[in-house]
Amino acid sequence: GAGVSQSPSNKVTEKGKDVELRCDPISGHTALYWYRQRLGQGLEFLIYFQGNSAPDKSGLPSDRFSAERTGESVSTLTIQRTQQEDSAVYLCASSLGLATVTDTQYFGPGTRLTVL
Amino acid sequence: AQTVTQSQPEMSVQEAETVTLSCTYDTSESNYYLFWYKQPPSRQMILVIRQEAYKQQNATENRFSVNFQKAAKSFSLKISDSQLGDTAMYFCAFAGSNYKLTFGKGTLLTVNP
């Protein structure tokens, strides 16, 4: 596709429910990243994929958070038993993945998650 | 660990004027990239400009330019001839030997007519 897409755009859920957030990276981009942006804050790194492998999950806040990726395409971020502090915008980015320090990450529009 | 600091939570500028957004960072790495991203109300993070640390020449993209002072670990963004469409949150970001982008907390820029 022309850019990174994410769905849904907005998600409202009740505390304790599970949610799935989807990211479609730019075609041909092997690297994929998830970030969280809390209100009024910068972005926090959550997880990085190279292909369908996740060499770095260090940013995931708790074991309620997990992510997977199918090949070099779609990724899903799952939050189980959502809590109010999970409310944030979840942003996905992708890059060519050829050389990490030189890669530019291109972002999707994000999913705004609200946990009531 | 790297840190990125944006000391100006909010700034405003009159249309057609010039504004400079500040960013400082801390790292022990010698090879890294610095970025400015723009986030308008649509939430889409848009890359504005990037700078390779090994290049002494400051990056320029049309009305956007940076003042990169490597020794001082400073990376400011200058927007010339400000336009109403420049109104957005601006984030400074660092990418080093790993793949993570480390972001500052952002500066909300408002361009007034």
Side-chain angles (χ1 to χ4, degrees):
Chain A
V4 179
S5 60
Q6 292 185 246
S7 61
S9 177
N10 291 282
K11 176 72 177 178
V12 179
T13 190
E14 294 179 348
K15 179 181 173 181
K17 299 284 189 182
D18 297 352
V19 295
E20 281 190 356
L21 312 179
R22 177 187 169 107
C23 172
D24 281 274
I26 294 171
S27 178
H29 280 193
T30 63
L32 186 146
Y33 315 78
W34 283 98
Y35 293 86
R36 178 172 70 177
Q37 185 179 24
R38 287 182 161 143
L39 185 64
Q41 301 294 315
L43 280 67
E44 306 169 71
F45 169 82
L46 296 179
I47 188 169
Y48 155 69
F49 285 93
Q50 181 61 45
N52 62 5
S53 170
D56 187 350
K57 305 178 183 179
S58 63
L60 294 177
S62 74
D63 59 8
R64 295 186 296 104
F65 287 72
S66 63
E68 59 182 30
R69 186 178 185 196
T70 306
E72 294 183 352
S73 60
V74 172
S75 176
T76 303
L77 177 69
T78 301
I79 309 173
Q80 295 179 312
R81 305 182 302 281
T82 52
Q83 303 295 311
Q84 289 182 331
E85 62 262 28
D86 299 334
S87 294
V89 175
Y90 291 82
L91 288 153
C92 174
S94 71
S95 70
L96 284 170
L98 296 176
T100 55
V101 73
T102 61
D103 263 355
T104 294
Q105 295 180 28
Y106 297 90
F107 284 81
T111 294
R112 181 180 299 279
L113 175 66
T114 303
V115 182
L116 301 176
Chain B
Q2 293 83 14
T3 59
V4 177
T5 302
Q6 293 179 251
S7 59
Q8 305 151 315
E10 295 186 36
M11 293 193 71
S12 62
V13 64
Q14 292 299 122
E15 197 174 6
E17 294 188 346
T18 295
V19 64
T20 298
L21 309 183
S22 300
C23 173
T24 58
Y25 60 95
D26 190 22
T27 184
S28 59
E29 300 190 40
S30 58
N31 185 24
Y32 53 87
Y33 278 66
L34 295 162
F35 304 84
W36 279 97
Y37 279 91
K38 167 185 176 181
Q39 186 179 43
S42 67
R43 294 201 310 253
Q44 183 81 49
M45 292 282 281
I46 301 164
L47 177 65
V48 174
I49 198 166
R50 77 175 200 172
Q51 173 80 41
E52 295 90 333
Y54 64 86
K55 288 188 177 179
Q56 292 188 331
Q57 186 173 6
N58 289 323
T60 300
E61 288 287 342
N62 301 313
R63 297 182 295 108
F64 299 89
S65 62
V66 299
N67 183 4
F68 174 47
Q69 301 289 328
K70 190 172 184 179
K73 295 181 180 172
S74 170
F75 182 62
S76 60
L77 174 69
K78 185 172 83 171
I79 306 174
S80 304
D81 185 26
S82 297
Q83 301 176 358
L84 296 178
D86 295 334
T87 293
M89 281 290 288
Y90 286 81
F91 291 96
C92 178
F94 173 101
S97 59
N98 62 35
Y99 27 77
K100 302 176 190 178
L101 279 173
T102 301
F103 285 84
K105 291 190 175 182
T107 296
L108 177 61
L109 176 67
T110 302
V111 180
N112 298 308

